[in-house]
């Protein structure tokens, strides 16, 4: 209380007498003031009154001093907090957040600050160290793998109490941590003292701030105040930062998906326009490398028991090993071989730490790999190997994009091979047709020439010179007709005019040959030379030739119209004759009409045939550009 104690103190202190003045300010004890004398004093009421007045005056002064110190401390803390919060509000990344926290001298003097984010995935707590502050420099963690918070005692100190800062002044002596865990921590890490600041906001954990010292550390009251201040203010900034990161990640993923869909659309266009398998795979490989730069994407085809990397994708990296161009199907350490054997999509999230498979070829810094088999029906025709530098990258939706791409490659390979088979069949049919025509025309002409020559020889022997001119004239006419037929057949096999002068001139030459050889009147309406690949021009030319051949062989026509128009989106071909016609509803065995339909389908176009018995025939083809 306020009582002043005056007593004979010889029996307590060795002094002759003592006066104890209790110092109280604003209802609280500020301490005591003690006077000792060697001689014995006999205090009276007047002494007691004086000492009480002195105690009150000293208490008032001390109270004022303490109040001033508290005001200064509060002002200093408010100014410090304002400065830190201002820096936090302007921070745009984790490095600036840590630099802002280092404005606190109490944190700046620590040996280590680490900011880690916390997420809940399938009820598991995943902790990801993001950045650290040491020796006055904030830096991002490099190559740190997400850790699972598995309930160790150190984690429990902050996970179980989100509203408190966990302080460990000496890990070696803290009884809250089991001895085995203390021993393991001290052996693996340099830290000997920790302040664990939980970052809890919006009803969920955002992360944790580790403040570490390499030696045991006794925490001052000011440090405890700073830790608590950080616990209350920092989570809101971290929550805002993480919300921005999530939004930015969503935006980037959306842009990436749009980019990937554009690449898939581009590959789809390639598939629909290129029917040569080697050229198709070369173009697909080129587009995938340009469209998916964060992937290493390689295409392997299965050839005679080997997975063979297609040539355009060899030498992907300067140190690419040529031994990886061909992988035998018995290579057990290859994820690609295993995927081809099992016909299943195989994924390895962290290939360098996987003991079963070896990454071939090695993308610089590659960590995860996915192999998707290329299936044409029930047949494995190859695999697509995709590598990425991120750990565990191949989850939805990335896997779905790659799967879509591989499905398109499979369809493209199947279409190219079917087209090649159709071309081979068409070549065989063309050879058979040519053999028939040569047999029907050239063979007969040669036979007639032989007979005419024999006749001329007989006339010479019998000296009937007056009849010799007729025999020679007959032989010459047959030879000329045979020569014309052979030239026409050679032109059909390889239209040199098409290659040298273009589609329009080739059709014109074909029509001229038709008029000369068969006396059919042809009306031509052709556009200017279209800007198309030679392969497509040849298909259009073959369709015109097939139609004219059918007219000569079956239609008995005297007039034909051939029109070719170059529209914005398609080539329009129209061939009309005034021949005998036929019933399109009835099955027909003409290889020419079948070939025309196949050629139109190969160009993703349509072909319609309108005809009536006695009413001629109208063939219309629409071929997309």
């Amino acid at each position: 209380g306020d009582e002043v104690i005056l007593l004979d103190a010889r029996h307590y202190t060795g002094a002759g007498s003592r006066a104890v003045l209790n110092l109280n300010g604003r209802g609280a004890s500020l301490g005591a003031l003690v006077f000792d004398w060697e001689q014995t004093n006999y205090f009276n009421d007047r002494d007691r009154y004086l000492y009480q007045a002195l105690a009150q005056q000293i208490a008032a002064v001390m109270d004022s001093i303490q109040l001033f110190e508290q005001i200064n401390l509060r002002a200093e803390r408010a100014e410090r907090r304002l400065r830190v919060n201002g820096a936090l509000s302007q921070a745009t990344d984790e490095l600036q957040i840590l630099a802002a926290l280092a404005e606190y001298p109490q944190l700046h003097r620590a040996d280590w600050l680490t900011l880690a984010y916390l997420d809940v995935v399938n009820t598991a707590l995943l902790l990801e160290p993001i950045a650290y502050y040491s020796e006055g420099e904030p830096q991002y963690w490099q190559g740190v793998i997400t850790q699972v918070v598995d309930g160790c005692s150190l984690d429990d100190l902050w996970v179980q109490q989100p509203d408190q800062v966990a302080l460990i002044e000496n890990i070696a002596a803290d009884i809250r941590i089991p001895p085995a865990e203390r021993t393991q921590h001290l052996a693996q890490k340099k830290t000997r003292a920790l302040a664990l600041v939980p970052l809890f906001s919006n009803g969920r954990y955002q992360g944790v701030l580790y403040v570490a010292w390499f030696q045991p550390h006794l925490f001052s009251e000011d440090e405890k105040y700073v830790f608590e201040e950080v616990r209350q203010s920092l989570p809101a900034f971290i929550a805002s930062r993480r919300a921005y990161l999530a939004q930015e990640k969503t935006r980037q993923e959306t842009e990436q998906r749009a980019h990937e869909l554009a690449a898939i659309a581009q590959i789809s266009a390639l598939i629909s326009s290129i029917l040569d398998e080697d050229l198709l795979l070369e173009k697909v490989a080129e587009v995938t490398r340009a469209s998916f730069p964060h992937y290493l994407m390689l295409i392997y085809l299965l050839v005679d028991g080997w997975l063979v990397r297609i040539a355009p994708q060899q030498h992907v990296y300067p140190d690419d090993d040529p031994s990886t161009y061909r992988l035998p199907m018995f290579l057990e350490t290859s994820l690609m071989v295993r995927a081809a054997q099992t016909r299943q999509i195989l994924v390895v999230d962290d290939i360098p730490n996987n003991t079963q498979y070896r990454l071939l070829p090695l993308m610089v810094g590659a960590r995860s790999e996915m192999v998707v088999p290329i299936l044409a029906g029930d047949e494995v025709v190859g695999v697509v190997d995709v590598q990425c530098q991120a750990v565990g990258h191949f989850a939805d939706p990335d896997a779905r994009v790659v799967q879509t791409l591989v499905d398109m490659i499979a369809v493209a390979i199947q279409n190219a091979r079917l087209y090649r088979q159709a071309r081979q069949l068409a070549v065989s049919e063309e050879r058979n047709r040519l053999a028939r025509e040569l047999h029907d025309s050239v063979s007969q002409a040669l036979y007639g020439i032989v007979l005419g020559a024999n006749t001329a020889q007989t006339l010479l022997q019998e000296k009937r010179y007056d009849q010799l001119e007729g025999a020679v004239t007959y032989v010459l006419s047959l030879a000329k007709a045979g020569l014309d037929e052979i030239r026409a057949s050679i032109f059909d096999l390889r239209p040199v005019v098409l290659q040298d002068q273009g589609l329009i001139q080739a059709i014109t030459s074909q029509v001229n040959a038709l008029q000369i050889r068969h006396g059919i009147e042809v009306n031509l309406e052709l556009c200017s030379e279209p800007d198309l690949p030679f392969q497509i021009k040849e298909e259009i030319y073959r369709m015109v030739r097939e139609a004219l051949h059918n007219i000569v062989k079956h239609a008995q026509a005297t007039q034909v119209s051939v029109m070719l128009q170059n529209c914005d989106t398609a080539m329009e071909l129209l061939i009309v004759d005034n021949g005998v016609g036929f019933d399109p509803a009835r099955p027909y065995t003409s290889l020419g009409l079948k070939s025309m339909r196949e050629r139109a389908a190969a160009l993703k176009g349509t072909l319609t045939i309108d005809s009536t018995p006695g009413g001629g025939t109208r063939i219309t083809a629409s071929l997309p550009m």
Side-chain angles (χ1 to χ4, degrees):
D2 296 333
E3 184 178 358
V4 175
I5 302 174
L6 305 174
L7 69 163
D8 183 345
R10 285 174 295 174
H11 299 294
Y12 303 99
T13 65
S17 57
R18 166 171 291 182
V20 180
L21 285 68
N22 288 323
L23 305 177
N24 297 317
R26 293 181 295 170
S29 175
L30 300 176
L33 184 62
V34 179
F35 295 93
D36 285 328
W37 292 269
E38 292 182 357
Q39 69 274 15
T40 300
N41 292 318
Y42 297 96
F43 301 106
N44 54 31
D45 291 339
R46 181 174 173 276
D47 295 329
R48 184 179 301 276
Y49 175 78
L50 290 174
Y51 287 131
Q52 283 180 341
L54 179 62
Q56 291 174 359
Q57 291 180 2
I58 294 174
V61 172
M62 291 182 62
D63 191 36
S64 298
I65 293 173
Q66 286 190 356
L67 180 60
F68 178 76
E69 290 176 348
Q70 289 176 1
I71 291 174
N72 284 343
L73 180 60
R74 289 174 183 174
E76 180 184 346
R77 288 177 174 177
E79 182 181 354
R80 183 178 61 194
R81 183 169 186 173
L82 182 63
R83 184 174 63 254
V84 173
N85 286 348
L88 286 173
S89 65
Q90 297 179 7
T92 58
D93 57 34
E94 288 76 11
L95 299 185
Q96 294 182 15
I97 290 175
L98 287 178
L101 292 176
E103 293 285 336
Y104 285 113
Q106 296 80 356
L107 299 184
H108 179 77
R109 289 192 292 265
D111 292 317
W112 199 276
L113 300 179
T114 297
L115 176 62
Y117 289 160
L118 188 70
D119 288 296
V120 180
V121 179
N122 297 328
T123 71
L125 294 178
L126 302 181
L127 192 65
E128 181 183 6
I130 302 297
Y132 66 92
Y133 184 94
S134 179
E135 297 180 354
E137 187 70 26
Q139 298 183 52
Y140 280 110
W141 281 102
Q142 300 295 330
V144 175
I145 302 175
T146 300
Q147 306 168 8
V148 178
V149 179
D150 54 4
C152 69
S153 299
L154 272 176
D155 293 331
D156 284 343
L157 290 178
W158 62 272
V159 170
Q160 302 299 331
Q161 301 182 58
D163 58 345
Q164 295 183 21
V165 178
L167 302 176
I168 306 173
E169 295 183 336
N170 187 356
I171 293 178
D174 198 306
I175 61 175
R176 295 173 295 178
I177 307 172
E181 189 176 325
R182 290 202 302 263
T183 302
Q184 181 182 10
H185 179 90
L186 294 173
Q188 294 178 350
K189 300 180 181 180
K190 296 191 298 183
T191 56
R192 296 297 180 265
L194 282 171
L196 307 175
V197 184
L199 307 177
F200 193 85
S201 176
N202 299 329
R204 60 183 292 265
Y205 265 113
Q206 302 294 336
V208 62
L209 178 68
Y210 293 93
V211 187
W213 288 262
F214 296 153
Q215 298 296 330
H217 182 78
L218 184 64
F219 296 109
S220 66
E221 291 300 320
D222 196 40
E223 286 177 324
K224 295 177 182 178
Y225 179 87
V226 168
F227 298 149
E228 181 62 24
E229 191 173 274
V230 170
R231 185 192 70 80
Q232 294 182 21
S233 61
L234 183 59
F237 294 101
I238 296 300
S240 176
R241 170 64 180 167
R242 298 201 66 187
Y244 168 78
L245 290 177
Q247 183 179 4
E248 186 67 12
K249 180 180 179 181
T250 301
R251 183 189 65 80
Q252 292 176 355
E253 289 178 349
T254 301
E255 291 181 353
Q256 179 64 26
R257 295 295 167 254
H259 177 72
E260 291 169 350
L261 290 175
I264 290 176
Q266 185 178 1
I267 293 173
S268 177
L270 286 175
I271 291 172
S272 64
S273 62
I274 300 177
L275 294 174
D276 179 82
E277 182 177 338
D278 294 335
L279 179 60
L280 170 69
L281 291 178
E282 180 179 350
K283 293 298 183 182
V284 168
E286 181 181 330
V287 171
T288 53
R289 284 200 306 271
S291 302
F292 302 92
H294 57 295
Y295 289 158
L296 171 62
M297 187 175 296
L298 302 175
I299 302 173
Y300 284 76
L301 295 183
L302 183 58
V303 181
D304 297 331
W306 293 75
L307 285 177
V308 181
R309 197 194 319 173
I310 63 174
Q313 295 194 109
Q314 295 177 1
H315 302 292
V316 177
Y317 287 108
D319 57 350
D320 195 8
D321 186 356
S323 65
T324 64
Y325 299 166
R326 291 167 52 87
L327 305 177
M329 285 298 290
F330 55 80
L331 186 62
E332 296 296 330
T333 58
S334 171
L335 191 66
M336 289 173 278
V337 170
R338 186 60 179 164
Q341 291 173 342
T342 61
R343 302 187 178 189
Q344 295 179 349
I345 300 175
L346 298 182
V347 177
V348 175
D349 290 331
D350 191 7
I351 200 77
N353 294 323
N354 183 280
T355 58
Q356 184 176 1
Y357 300 108
R358 189 161 64 96
L359 189 66
L360 291 174
L362 181 61
M363 177 187 185
V364 177
R367 297 298 296 273
S368 56
E369 182 179 19
M370 177 172 68
V371 181
V372 183
I374 305 173
L375 301 175
D378 295 331
E379 179 188 2
V380 177
V381 299
V383 297
V384 174
D385 179 42
V386 190
Q387 301 170 18
C388 182
Q389 294 176 335
V391 175
H393 181 76
F394 295 112
D396 289 341
D398 297 275
R400 290 200 303 271
V401 171
V402 175
Q403 180 64 65
T404 300
L405 181 60
V406 173
D407 289 343
M408 294 175 63
I409 293 174
V411 171
I413 292 175
Q414 194 170 22
N415 287 344
R417 292 182 176 180
L418 289 174
Y419 175 73
R420 185 173 61 204
Q421 294 173 5
R423 289 294 298 269
Q424 292 172 349
L425 179 61
V427 169
S428 177
E429 292 175 351
E430 184 71 11
R431 287 173 178 171
N432 292 334
R433 183 191 66 79
L434 182 59
R436 289 194 302 269
E437 290 185 355
L438 291 175
H439 179 271
D440 293 342
S441 58
V442 178
S443 295
Q444 293 180 11
L446 291 175
Y447 181 70
I449 291 172
V450 172
L451 292 178
N454 288 335
T455 300
Q457 185 180 33
T458 301
L459 292 174
L460 282 172
Q461 292 172 353
E462 295 177 357
K463 298 183 178 181
R464 290 187 285 173
Y465 301 118
D466 57 332
Q467 300 178 21
L468 187 60
E469 183 178 359
V472 173
T473 301
Y474 175 72
V475 170
L476 289 174
S477 66
L478 289 178
K480 183 176 182 301
L483 181 60
D484 290 340
E485 192 65 36
I486 289 175
R487 286 175 175 173
S489 297
I490 292 174
F491 181 82
D492 286 344
L493 285 175
R494 182 170 181 80
V496 178
V497 177
L498 175 63
Q499 188 171 17
D500 294 342
Q501 302 182 29
L503 175 63
I504 301 305
Q505 186 59 45
I507 294 176
T508 302
S509 299
Q510 178 71 22
V511 168
N512 292 337
L514 177 71
Q515 294 182 118
I516 293 172
R517 293 168 61 181
H518 302 286
I520 299 176
E521 181 183 346
V522 182
N523 177 40
L524 270 180
E525 294 184 19
L526 304 178
C527 61
S528 58
E529 184 68 22
D531 184 15
L532 294 173
F534 177 80
Q535 179 182 358
I536 298 178
K537 290 183 178 182
E538 185 176 11
E539 293 298 323
I540 296 174
Y541 169 77
R542 296 290 183 187
M543 292 174 66
V544 173
R545 189 195 58 75
E546 291 287 357
L548 296 178
H549 175 75
N550 283 344
I551 291 172
V552 170
K553 189 173 181 180
H554 304 290
Q556 303 175 25
T558 60
Q559 292 183 344
V560 177
S561 294
V562 178
M563 288 173 280
L564 182 65
Q565 295 181 339
N566 187 354
C567 302
D568 291 337
T569 59
M571 295 294 295
E572 302 290 343
L573 175 64
L574 177 63
I575 302 175
V576 182
D577 68 69
N578 65 347
V580 297
F582 63 96
D583 183 4
R586 295 183 59 185
Y588 53 90
T589 59
S590 171
L591 293 177
L593 292 178
K594 180 181 178 182
S595 175
M596 291 175 66
R597 289 189 183 277
E598 289 176 350
R599 294 182 191 280
L603 298 179
K604 307 299 181 183
T606 60
L607 183 113
T608 58
I609 301 174
D610 298 320
S611 183
T612 57
T617 302
R618 182 186 184 92
I619 299 175
T620 305
S622 180
L623 310 173
M625 296 290 283

